[in-house]
Amino acid sequence: MTLLEILKEPWPWYVSGPLIGLTVPILLIIGNKSFGISSSLRHICAACIPANISFFKYDWKKESWNLFFVFGIFLGGVIASHFLANRNPVEITPQLSEQLATYGITDHSGLLPAQLFSWESLFTLRGFIMIVVGGFLVGFGTRYAGGCTSGHAIMGISNLQWPSLVATICFMIGGFIMSLLILPYILSL
């Protein structure tokens, strides 16, 4: 098996998990920096919006490393999707396939079901709720919790921060409630 074939396969949790976890001590040792993605949107707004908004009045240039970090994540995603993508359909269990078929979701050829995440589905009630309302709620929740899942769950918990543990527990409970109670209702629309 060549290196390119190995890179195209899904990495097991015992490889990818520690690699993600190692970003915390590396960022702390190299520059006393915190890992998080959602703060980069604030830095971009502070750099680009000349309005007199107190939330954006801070020295964003001290955090410009975060913008390069997020750009690197974006660039890595572009490179991976073009050169390292596994073109095989997503493998799901037959039970899940049957359950999704009851909601009209039968296309599993991409990473996201086309019946839910496409321009055509955006103009349906189900698609609007999934894409627009869901995106708004993720953004609102990130701001309300003072960070995203990567900042709280990876960086905050590893630094033994009590608010990050509470936020991560709330993220998990919200995810369980969404997937078990609310999502089936939305999918049936």
Side-chain angles (χ1 to χ4, degrees):
M1 185 177 268
T2 67
L3 178 62
L4 189 58
E5 290 171 342
I6 293 171
L7 290 175
K8 286 185 177 185
E9 293 296 317
W11 290 14
W13 65 268
Y14 52 84
V15 173
S16 56
L19 286 175
I20 292 170
L22 285 174
T23 59
V24 172
I26 290 171
L27 285 172
L28 288 173
I29 291 169
I30 289 177
N32 198 23
K33 304 291 184 188
S34 293
F35 178 73
I37 305 300
S38 60
S39 59
S40 61
L41 180 59
R42 181 180 183 204
H43 305 324
I44 291 171
C45 290
C48 297
I49 299 175
N52 195 12
I53 301 171
S54 61
F55 183 70
F56 297 127
K57 288 177 127 182
Y58 68 97
D59 189 11
W60 62 269
K61 293 176 185 173
K62 287 167 66 175
E63 301 297 327
S64 62
W65 71 271
N66 190 270
L67 299 175
F68 287 103
F69 185 78
V70 170
F71 180 73
I73 291 172
F74 170 77
L75 189 61
V78 169
I79 291 170
S81 67
H82 285 286
F83 301 111
L84 303 175
N86 185 343
R87 302 292 179 207
N88 298 327
V90 175
E91 295 179 19
I92 60 174
T93 64
Q95 296 87 354
L96 179 60
S97 181
E98 290 172 14
Q99 185 179 7
L100 290 174
T102 62
Y103 298 117
I105 301 169
T106 55
D107 182 10
H108 309 292
S109 60
L111 292 176
L112 300 171
Q115 287 97 349
L116 289 179
F117 300 100
S118 65
W119 286 108
E120 293 80 25
S121 69
L122 176 62
F123 299 106
T124 65
L125 179 61
R126 178 171 76 172
F128 183 82
I129 291 172
M130 294 288 291
I131 298 170
V132 177
V133 175
F136 173 79
L137 288 174
V138 167
F140 174 79
T142 299
R143 178 68 191 113
Y144 186 73
C148 59
T149 52
S150 60
H152 281 300
I154 298 171
M155 189 72 183
I157 290 178
S158 64
N159 284 326
L160 303 176
Q161 295 178 2
W162 176 252
S164 291
L165 178 62
V166 172
T168 303
I169 290 170
C170 290
F171 294 152
M172 293 300 295
I173 291 171
F176 292 141
I177 291 170
M178 177 62 188
S179 63
L180 297 174
L181 302 176
I182 301 171
L183 185 62
Y185 176 74
I186 295 172
L187 291 178
S188 64
L189 294 176

